Amino acid sequence: MPGPIIAAFKGAAGPDVLAFAAPLSRASGRPLMVAAVYPGRAPVGLGRVDAEWVAYNRDEADSLLDEARGLLGDEPGVDYRSVAADSASHGLHDLLEQSGPTAVAVLGSSNAKGTRRTVVGSTADRLLQGAPGPVVIVPWAYEEYAAAAVTRIAVAYVATPDGAAALAFGQALAAELGASLSLISVLPDTQVRPSLGDRTGFAAEQRAAFRAAVEQAAASAGGSSTLLEGPVVDALTGLQPTDVDLLVVGSRGYGPARRVLLGGVSSRVLKQAKVPVLVVPRG
């Protein structure tokens, strides 16, 4: 059975997280875990811990979970957990690791000053560097325009190992949800052009190669394909909630296996996306 959906409930972004995580849980049949992480220890001297401080933080976490219960209402089978850890990112990392490689963590964004886009907070930023499983970042104010279900999944595809990992996960999730799958490849405007010879013909060859690669991958995955042109980050962050419900991207192509390690493109997409973005660990 696929792993749980782990919803990190914290502060004003909590409702945004539940607005994405709960429908995903319902549609996939995956269990929903709502987690509130609190500082577990506060040393006040050698071998001593401030028990009152720990109890206060635990009560605060329990209050957050009560708020989540109120938002979810009679949602059946939800696992509410208050988790003690030295930091929120460590607590979520441990939960993700304990829940298995198919578990998915869902986190919210920091306030983007009224704009509906992702602004990765410190907890998400630290978790994304080395997370043992997929992580979804939900845009700020997502609750206001949340999709009733994830029915359209887009994969940012490039013919590299990290692109293949993103496609494999996106394809599996689309099958799990009964969602449509589209592959989006971007012909970047930074492609090298020859200083001599037919530059127009060379550009056409590059375009044809990119198109052939994404069309072949889409045909194998049972999805559709789109080739965009221009700056990669601008093309991907131009996707609107009316276009897709979830964008799947890969991690950097090197680093520890089965770990998320953000590259330059993924990192910038996360900071500017207007739709939920799922980052897949390296295979």
Side-chain angles (χ1 to χ4, degrees), residues 144-163:
E144 298 176 6
Y145 59 97
V150 176
T151 60
R152 301 164 301 167
I153 296 176
V155 175
Y157 180 74
V158 60
T160 61
D162 51 310

Side-chain angles (χ1 to χ4, degrees), residues 2-281:
I5 307 298
I6 303 171
F9 194 84
K10 177 184 178 183
D16 294 330
V17 170
L18 295 185
F20 179 83
L24 184 63
S25 169
R26 294 185 207 115
S28 64
R30 292 172 179 242
L32 176 61
M33 180 191 303
V34 180
V37 183
Y38 66 93
R41 298 194 308 167
V44 294
L46 189 62
R48 295 179 58 210
V49 170
D50 188 338
E52 289 185 2
W53 187 82
V54 172
Y56 169 79
N57 284 301
R58 184 172 59 246
D59 288 345
E60 289 292 299
D62 289 340
S63 294
L64 284 173
L65 295 180
D66 286 341
E67 181 184 345
R69 287 186 182 92
L71 291 170
L72 290 174
D74 297 329
E75 191 82 24
V78 182
D79 180 7
Y80 295 94
R81 294 197 190 186
S82 55
V83 179
D86 15 355
S87 72
S89 57
H90 284 170
L92 293 171
H93 180 285
D94 291 346
L95 272 181
L96 198 52
E97 195 157 52
Q98 292 161 12
S99 300
T102 59
V104 177
V106 182
L107 285 77
S109 300
S110 297
N111 192 330
K113 296 182 180 178
T115 62
R116 291 174 172 175
R117 62 185 179 88
T118 53
V119 175
V120 181
S122 57
T123 296
D125 191 48
R126 287 193 292 268
L127 180 62
L128 282 163
Q129 298 298 338
V135 177
V136 178
I137 304 297
V138 180
W140 178 260
Y142 176 75
E143 181 192 23
E144 298 176 6
Y145 59 97
V150 176
T151 60
R152 301 164 301 167
I153 296 176
V155 175
Y157 180 74
V158 60
T160 61
D162 51 310
L167 175 55
F169 190 90
Q171 182 182 9
L173 186 59
E176 192 177 325
L177 298 173
S180 65
L181 178 68
S182 61
L183 277 65
I184 299 175
S185 190
V186 183
L187 178 64
D189 57 358
T190 55
Q191 288 290 301
V192 175
R193 302 285 191 267
S195 56
L196 300 174
D198 182 5
R199 300 184 65 183
T200 302
F202 184 78
E205 289 178 7
Q206 289 183 314
R207 186 176 297 105
F210 267 70
R211 187 177 301 281
V214 69
E215 287 179 350
Q216 181 179 358
S220 298
S224 62
S225 65
T226 300
L227 178 65
L228 303 176
E229 298 187 31
V232 177
V233 173
D234 290 351
L236 294 177
T237 57
L239 294 171
Q240 302 292 326
T242 51
D243 301 320
V244 300
D245 299 318
L246 177 66
L247 175 64
V248 180
V249 301
S251 300
R252 186 178 296 169
Y254 56 87
R258 294 302 307 166
R259 289 290 186 273
V260 169
L261 189 62
L262 290 185
V265 170
S266 296
S267 179
R268 283 179 287 158
V269 167
L270 279 173
K271 292 176 181 176
Q272 300 176 37
K274 303 173 187 69
V275 299
V277 179
L278 184 150
V279 187
V280 180

